[in-house]
């Protein structure tokens, strides 16, 4: 009887140790590509990231802290889905922070799309 | 005349040992629980410095992990992979269970590469998240 108990205990300890709980925090950009774009009267709010690390909105450079108010004041149609266009060479950290700020401003879905060179 | 309670306790310890079968039952149940709940997460296996975020929330635990390093390499399961391999790796890891994808990205990685990885992952995964630091 006791060898059985020993073996079961060893299996038990193995599975307890092997059960790894990865706790990640992060942001999820829900973007439905299937959403019909013709439903929206206004074009989505678009931010562009330049290789130099600037955030461009409608052609003018803005600061990171201006992203959330811009999204908050935007029309509901353009708030529904936001596009972050990243040029090659811009940093993923900045892109993530722009997405984060847009979520803080009430954006429902954010798409990150690469700009062609 | 014999006392009933006393005779019971004597019967239990007839051979002078503790009855272990309830213990084995409990241990078996624990064992089965841990076997069933065991999900072997394969970590990407590369050190990255995560970007900051204020709206970060806890992500689903049972996810497929990819990493984009600061040197613009993509990692999955401890090895470097190519961008085109991402959808097939999600298929292999997901096994029709529709697991979500979590991308650990270095904050100094190229954002265009991150966007391409997200676009590739979105072909197969129900949701794609970016891992960040815990908000303070």
């Amino acid at each position: 009887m006791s060898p059985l108990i020993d073996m079961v205990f060893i299996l038990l300890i193995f599975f307890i140790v092997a059960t790894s709980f990865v706790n990640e925090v992060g942001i999820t950009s829900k973007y439905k590509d299937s959403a019909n774009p013709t439903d929206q009267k206004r074009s989505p709010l678009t931010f562009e990231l330049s290789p130099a690390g600037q955030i461009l909105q409608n052609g003018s450079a803005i600061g990171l802290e201006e992203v959330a108010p811009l999204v908050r004041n935007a029309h509901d149609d353009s708030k529904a889905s936001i596009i972050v266009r990243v040029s090659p060479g811009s940093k993923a950290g900045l892109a993530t922070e722009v997405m984060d700020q847009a979520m803080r401003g009430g954006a429902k879905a954010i798409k990150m799309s690469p700009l062609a060179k | 005349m014999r006392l009933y309670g006393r005779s019971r306790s004597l019967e239990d310890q007839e051979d002078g040992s503790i009855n272990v079968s309830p213990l084995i039952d409990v241990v078996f149940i624990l064992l089965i629980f841990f076997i069933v709940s065991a999900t072997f997460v394969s970590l990407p296996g590369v050190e990255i410095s995560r970007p900051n975020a204020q709206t970060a929330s806890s992500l689903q635990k049972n996810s497929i992990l990819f990493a984009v390093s600061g040197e613009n390499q993509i990692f999955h399961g401890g090895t470097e992979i190519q961008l085109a391999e991402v959808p097939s790796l999600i298929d292999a890891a997901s096994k029709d269970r529709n697991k979500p994808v979590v991308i650990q990205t270095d904050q100094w990685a190229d954002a265009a590469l991150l966007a391409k990885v997200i676009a590739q992952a979105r072909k197969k995964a129900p949701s794609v998240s970016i891992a960040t630091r815990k908000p303070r």
Side-chain angles (χ1 to χ4, degrees):
Chain A
M1 194 62 112
S2 48
L4 170 74
I5 302 171
D6 289 354
M7 191 205 70
V8 168
F9 263 119
I10 286 168
L11 276 176
L12 181 64
I13 288 162
F14 168 74
F15 277 103
I16 288 174
V17 171
T19 309
S20 54
F21 299 103
V22 179
N23 266 324
E24 286 281 11
V25 294
I27 51 173
T28 310
S29 60
K30 305 166 199 75
Y31 194 91
K32 289 260 186 301
D33 288 314
S34 55
N36 196 348
T38 54
D39 287 353
Q40 291 165 352
K41 292 170 198 78
R42 288 167 185 241
S43 58
L45 197 60
T46 306
F47 294 99
E48 275 183 34
L49 297 190
S50 73
Q54 283 179 308
I55 307 161
L56 302 171
Q57 206 275 314
N58 221 345
S60 55
I62 59 163
L64 183 64
E65 67 283 350
E66 290 171 69
V67 171
L70 260 172
V71 173
R72 203 170 289 130
N73 297 331
H75 191 268
D76 275 352
D77 277 356
S78 39
K79 200 191 285 187
S81 62
I82 285 177
I83 298 177
V84 179
R85 298 168 75 82
V86 291
S87 17
S90 53
K91 297 299 169 210
L94 185 65
T96 312
E97 276 166 42
V98 169
M99 288 170 81
D100 172 52
Q101 290 297 315
M103 299 275 260
R104 208 161 70 90
K108 287 173 193 72
I110 304 163
K111 187 185 191 180
M112 200 196 267
S113 67
L115 266 177
K117 254 176 201 154
Chain B
M1 201 166 104
R2 237 169 36 170
L3 282 173
Y4 181 68
R6 190 172 168 84
S7 75
R8 280 285 297 188
S9 70
L10 280 174
E11 265 170 42
D12 275 356
Q13 299 186 357
E14 263 176 333
D15 52 353
S17 65
I18 307 164
N19 187 4
V20 288
S21 38
L23 172 73
I24 301 170
D25 290 353
V26 169
V27 168
F28 262 119
I29 287 168
L30 276 175
L31 180 65
I32 289 162
F33 167 75
F34 277 104
I35 291 174
V36 169
S37 69
T39 50
F40 299 98
V41 183
S42 64
L43 294 168
V46 63
E47 196 67 32
I48 54 155
S49 87
R50 286 142 212 264
N52 294 306
Q54 291 170 16
T55 60
S57 56
S58 188
L59 300 177
Q60 227 173 309
K61 288 193 175 61
N62 195 3
S63 334
I64 306 164
L65 296 168
F66 288 93
V68 180
S69 76
E71 286 80 40
N72 295 326
Q73 294 156 314
I74 309 163
F75 285 88
H76 173 74
T79 50
E80 194 188 343
I81 58 159
Q82 298 303 309
L83 182 64
E85 294 174 56
V86 171
S88 58
L89 282 167
I90 293 171
D91 263 349
S94 186
K95 295 186 196 101
D96 302 327
R97 273 181 291 179
N98 260 342
K99 285 192 192 176
V101 166
V102 172
I103 297 170
Q104 304 175 330
T105 180
D106 196 284
Q107 57 180 335
W108 304 115
D110 193 335
L113 178 69
L114 174 65
K116 282 176 197 158
V117 175
I118 291 174
Q120 290 288 321
R122 210 183 281 284
K123 287 180 185 170
K124 297 285 180 185
S127 86
V128 181
S129 314
I130 304 169
T132 60
R133 272 182 220 159
K134 285 188 177 66
R136 268 150 295 184

